[in-house]
Amino acid sequence: MSDVPAQARYEQFVDLHRGPDTFIMPNAWDGPSALLFKEAGFKSIATSSAAFAATLGRLDGIHAIGRDTHLDHAALLTSVSGLPINGDFEDGYGETPEDVAATVDAAIARGLAGIGIEDTTGDPSNPIRQFDDAVRRIEAAGAAGRGRIVVTGRTDNFLWGISDIDDTIRRLTAFAEAGADVLYAPSLPDLASISAVIKAVAPKPVNVLVSPKDTATLAELQTIGVRRISLGVDPYTHALGATQAAAAKLAAGDLTALASDLTFGHIIDLIKA
């Protein structure tokens, strides 16, 4: 367990966004995964609302996970790792901008260094909020978090199949002006669209979601000005993929299928450290 002060974690997280290099912020789903990322040398970690929901047998994006449950999860990753944790907090929880501000205040009280607020609704039939509503929610988050937590303003247009780069840039630009510290649009289709977003919101930093299917390299992303890279559900699905492959072998009678270089003793040592 870590006793790194919350203010120190916040300042570390701010400094990562100001540094000259692009940094990778992997998404953990439980305490041991956070500790393994820390052991590998990562300087900050994010939650993934989708991966966390899946660990509970629930779906993401439909308000199936409450604010307090996600706060407890993010606070656990914070206390276990001592690293700056960025909470992936869906739409900020609640119907009003004041509700979003209360969520930001609660995240600060639980020691988070960053928080992401989406423009989603929780309703798959109408997934993206109206522009003005989305901006007001980011404005409330920015005002509540200023100088205390890094607020990421996020539009999920492309994630929901709304391939409108003009509206995406309009939203992110408005989020930047409303007080978001970092801007993020997951699932942008190519380097040109990522570059357009970076130029539109400059000098504020941009987070980019990267998956194993993407062809862009770290060097290419850094060249166009990406400051932060997150990985979404892919660390979690990678771990489940290994379990799936081993399960198939075990079901076929291979009793060595679960052999691994990682021992449970090592996990215990990480927790004790």
Side-chain angles (χ1 to χ4, degrees):
M1 299 294 178
S2 172
D3 58 358
V4 178
Q7 183 64 26
R9 290 193 299 271
Y10 164 70
E11 292 172 358
Q12 290 167 8
F13 200 41
V14 170
D15 287 344
L16 285 172
H17 292 86
R18 291 175 176 168
D21 297 325
T22 304
F23 71 97
I24 301 172
M25 181 180 69
N27 302 72
W29 62 93
D30 62 7
S33 63
L35 289 170
L36 288 170
F37 286 134
K38 179 180 181 180
E39 181 185 40
F42 291 100
K43 302 301 182 184
S44 66
I45 296 171
T47 68
S48 162
S49 64
F52 178 50
T55 67
L56 301 178
R58 302 178 192 174
L59 298 177
D60 185 40
I62 57 172
H63 295 159
I65 303 295
R67 186 190 77 174
D68 291 343
T69 302
H70 201 156
L71 279 168
D72 289 343
H73 170 63
L76 170 67
L77 300 189
T78 296
S79 65
V80 166
S81 71
L83 294 177
I85 301 297
N86 186 77
D88 176 20
F89 269 58
E90 299 189 48
D91 66 349
Y93 301 108
E95 291 302 315
T96 69
E98 291 75 19
D99 292 331
V100 176
T103 295
V104 173
D105 285 335
I108 294 166
R110 299 301 296 272
L112 273 67
I115 185 168
I117 307 295
E118 306 166 3
D119 60 357
T120 53
T121 65
D123 177 6
S125 67
N126 183 33
I128 303 297
R129 290 181 181 272
Q130 293 296 314
F131 177 83
D132 289 343
D133 182 27
V135 173
R136 283 193 294 267
R137 293 168 74 86
I138 296 297
E139 186 174 32
R146 190 166 296 118
R148 303 194 297 161
I149 194 169
V150 175
V151 174
T152 297
R154 166 175 159 173
T155 177
D156 278 10
N157 272 345
F158 279 86
L159 195 63
W160 282 98
I162 303 171
S163 303
D164 188 336
I165 189 63
D166 291 335
D167 184 63
T168 295
I169 289 176
R170 177 180 178 235
R171 286 171 179 263
L172 293 180
T173 302
F175 294 168
E177 293 173 352
D181 301 300
V182 181
L183 290 310
Y184 178 26
S187 299
L188 291 172
D190 50 40
L191 286 174
S193 59
I194 295 171
S195 181
V197 164
I198 291 168
K199 291 175 181 176
V201 303
K204 292 196 173 181
V206 169
N207 182 93
V208 169
L209 176 69
V210 171
S211 80
K213 296 179 181 178
D214 294 327
T215 58
T217 66
L218 177 60
E220 288 172 328
L221 292 171
Q222 182 157 319
T223 296
I224 65 172
V226 173
R227 184 52 53 86
R228 190 177 85 189
I229 293 172
S230 59
L231 307 175
V233 298
D234 283 321
Y236 179 58
T237 56
H238 178 81
L240 287 185
T243 302
Q244 181 186 46
K249 293 179 180 179
L250 187 62
D254 182 356
L255 299 182
T256 69
L258 295 177
S260 172
D261 291 335
L262 178 64
T263 67
F264 192 64
H266 185 65
I267 297 297
I268 292 174
D269 289 341
L270 291 177
I271 294 172
K272 286 180 177 179

